[in-house]
Amino acid sequence: MGSRVGGVCLMLLALVALTSCASAGSGGLKDEGGKPTGTASDKDTAPTLRQLAERRGFFVGAAVNYDPFSKDAAYRQAIADQFNILTPENDMKFMRLHPEKDRYTFDQADKLMAFAAEHRITVRGHTLVWHRSLPKWVEEGQWDKEQLKAVMKEHIQTVVSRYKGKIAVWDVVNEAFNDDGSYRDNIWHKVIGPEYIELAFRWAHEADPGALLYYNDYTNESMTTKSNRIYEMSRDFRSRQVPIDGIGWQMHVRTMNYASPDKMKQNLQRLGALGLQVQITEMDVKVNDNKDNTQDDKMKRQADVYAGTLSACLGEKNCTAFITWGVGDKYTYLKDQDPKEQPLLLDERFQSKPAYHAVMDVLKR
C-alpha cells in the first residue's frame, strides 16, 4: 500500500498543475514531494495564510457554504486570498447531489469546482457515505442488503467518476463509529453490515484510482477508544489492500476542551507508521464555553488552541492539511446555536483575528 500512496501523491501533483495551467496567472501547485508550492501571487504586502502554507508545501483551507459564496464577494475573495484547499460544506452530500433516485443535481457543486479551478485551489470531496443528509427515498426505502449495496455503489461511482481527476481527496465514509468504538447504528450498517465501509472505499477507488481516500470522524484526534477503533480498522484495511489513504480529524472543539498536542502527536505517529496521511478537516474553536472570560481572554485561548493544533500537525510529515469549518465568523453554522459565537480565524468582516496571527506565526517557523 505504501507505493499506492506515493503514486497517488504524484497524481495529485499532476491534477493541481493541470488546474493551475487552466487558470490565468503564473505558477502552479507543483513540488517533487507532492505538496503545494507557490500558487498565490506575490504582493508587496504581508503574506497570506495561503502563501505561507505553500512555501512549506502544505494545505490550509476552509469549508465553503454555497449560499454566501453565491452572494458575498468578500467571502469569495477571502477564499481566493487565504486558502489553497476547500471543502464544499454541504453541496456534495448525498441529499444535495442525489435528491431523487433517478436524478442528480450537480449545478452548485460544479460552480464551486469552477471557482476552485480558476483560483488554483485543491478540492476535498465531502462526503460520499454518511448517516445524515440522506434523501427520504434512501432513508425510507424498504431495502434488502443487495438493493442498498447497489444504491450505495451507484451513488459513489456516479459522483466520483464525474469529478475524476478534478477532486484530489474524498471523505469516503463519515462518522461510522460511536465514541465507545462500536459501529454507529445507521441505515448502511443495519442493512448491509459493517462491510459497507470497506465496500465504499473499494468502489470509490474503482471510480477514480488517482484520488486520495479518507475516513473522517470527530473525537478521533487524540488517543481515545474511538481513535483506537479507527486505527484498528485502518490497520486491517492496509493489511488486506483496502484502498484507504488517510484519516480526517474533524476537531470541532472548545477553548476549555480540546486534545493535547502530545496526544495528537502519538496518534499521528501510529497512523503514519501504517503509511496513512492525516488531515485536520473541519476545525472550529468555540469561545463561549466559559461565559466569565473577557473577550481578550477568549481570543487568546482560541489562538492558543489553533496554534497548538497546527504545531502538532506540522511536527509530523504525514499531516498534510489544516482546514477550518467555515471561512469566517459571519457565516459559521455555530451561529444557529449561539449568535455570539466566533469560532474561526477570520471575523465577521473577514479580517484577521488573534487566532489567524497565531496560525501565521506557526507557519513562519
Side-chain angles (χ1 to χ4, degrees):
M1 289 296 288
S3 60
R4 164 173 155 72
V5 175
V8 171
C9 288
L10 291 175
M11 295 185 77
L12 172 56
L13 268 178
L15 162 64
V16 180
L18 178 62
T19 302
S20 299
C21 293
S23 61
S26 61
L29 292 173
K30 190 173 183 181
D31 176 73
E32 289 182 359
K35 296 180 180 180
T37 59
T39 62
S41 60
D42 292 327
K43 300 178 181 178
D44 296 328
T45 58
T48 63
L49 284 177
R50 175 177 183 161
Q51 288 170 323
L52 288 179
E54 286 165 353
R55 291 172 191 175
R56 297 187 64 115
F58 188 68
F59 288 103
V60 171
V64 175
N65 186 317
Y66 186 81
D67 185 58
F69 170 84
S70 67
K71 299 174 182 177
D72 191 333
Y75 182 91
R76 294 192 298 274
Q77 192 63 53
I79 298 165
D81 287 347
Q82 298 293 345
F83 306 120
N84 61 355
I85 190 168
L86 68 80
T87 302
E89 188 168 334
N90 295 303
D91 289 286
M92 289 185 180
K93 292 174 179 174
F94 203 127
M95 184 165 63
R96 292 289 182 93
L97 288 183
H98 199 173
E100 298 174 12
K101 188 174 187 301
D102 298 315
R103 183 172 68 91
Y104 285 84
T105 55
F106 291 106
D107 182 61
Q108 292 183 178
D110 285 352
K111 289 177 180 176
L112 292 177
M113 293 295 296
F115 177 87
E118 178 184 358
H119 295 282
R120 303 181 303 280
I121 299 173
T122 297
V123 178
R124 297 187 87 260
H126 176 82
T127 176
L128 295 170
V129 179
W130 191 28
H131 65 283
R132 298 179 64 183
S133 292
L134 291 173
K136 287 185 178 181
W137 70 267
V138 173
E139 287 192 312
E140 298 176 1
Q142 301 300 308
W143 311 106
D144 63 27
K145 180 175 182 177
E146 293 306 313
Q147 289 172 333
L148 193 58
K149 282 170 61 177
V151 167
M152 190 174 79
K153 180 178 182 180
E154 192 268 341
H155 175 82
I156 289 171
Q157 297 202 325
T158 298
V159 174
V160 175
S161 295
R162 181 180 184 84
Y163 299 114
K164 182 178 181 180
K166 298 178 181 178
I167 286 183
V169 187
W170 279 102
D171 287 331
V172 177
V173 177
N174 200 49
E175 301 174 3
F177 296 103
N178 298 308
D179 284 346
D180 65 3
S182 61
Y183 287 105
R184 186 182 292 277
D185 189 24
N186 60 39
I187 186 173
W188 310 109
H189 184 267
K190 285 179 181 177
V191 178
I192 299 172
E195 65 266 33
Y196 84 90
I197 303 173
E198 175 179 339
L199 291 171
F201 278 90
R202 292 194 183 279
W203 290 334
H205 180 65
E206 287 177 6
D208 186 357
L212 291 167
L213 305 182
Y214 269 63
Y215 174 81
N216 191 53
D217 215 326
Y218 59 89
T219 62
N220 68 322
E221 63 271 12
S222 186
M223 303 295 286
T224 64
T225 302
K226 180 189 278 189
S227 71
N228 290 341
R229 181 66 186 85
I230 292 168
Y231 171 80
E232 293 299 333
M233 177 192 73
S234 302
R235 185 169 65 175
D236 172 59
F237 281 7
R238 299 289 284 181
S239 71
R240 295 190 294 108
Q241 306 296 304
V242 179
I244 185 171
D245 300 298
I247 304 299
W249 295 355
Q250 292 184 14
M251 297 203 67
H252 299 286
V253 300
R254 303 168 183 265
T255 56
M256 307 298 288
N257 183 15
Y258 59 94
S260 74
D262 286 343
K263 294 298 183 183
M264 285 188 277
K265 180 179 179 179
Q266 284 183 258
N267 202 12
L268 279 166
Q269 289 178 341
R270 68 173 176 174
L271 292 169
L274 295 178
L276 291 172
Q277 294 184 13
V278 171
Q279 293 185 348
I280 294 169
T281 56
E282 305 186 18
M283 191 169 185
D284 46 44
V285 182
K286 288 184 177 182
V287 297
N288 289 335
D289 48 335
N290 187 336
K291 302 295 184 181
D292 295 330
N293 288 343
T294 66
Q295 178 67 8
D296 286 347
D297 186 49
K298 289 177 181 180
M299 293 298 99
K300 183 182 183 304
R301 287 174 178 270
Q302 182 183 66
D304 289 344
V305 175
Y306 272 115
T309 300
L310 180 58
S311 294
C313 173
L314 289 174
E316 302 298 327
K317 292 182 179 179
N318 62 315
C319 191
T320 59
F322 182 83
I323 301 165
T324 57
W325 201 245
V327 174
D329 291 341
K330 184 175 183 179
Y331 297 111
T332 173
Y333 76 102
L334 290 170
K335 292 286 191 187
D336 293 338
Q337 302 173 21
D338 181 350
K340 296 183 179 180
E341 193 53 77
Q342 307 164 73
L344 298 169
L345 302 178
L346 300 175
D347 66 16
E348 299 212 2
R349 297 181 297 119
F350 305 107
Q351 300 299 304
S352 58
K353 294 166 55 179
Y356 175 97
H357 294 288
V359 167
M360 293 283 280
D361 289 343
V362 174
L363 289 169
K364 289 175 183 177
R365 292 175 191 167

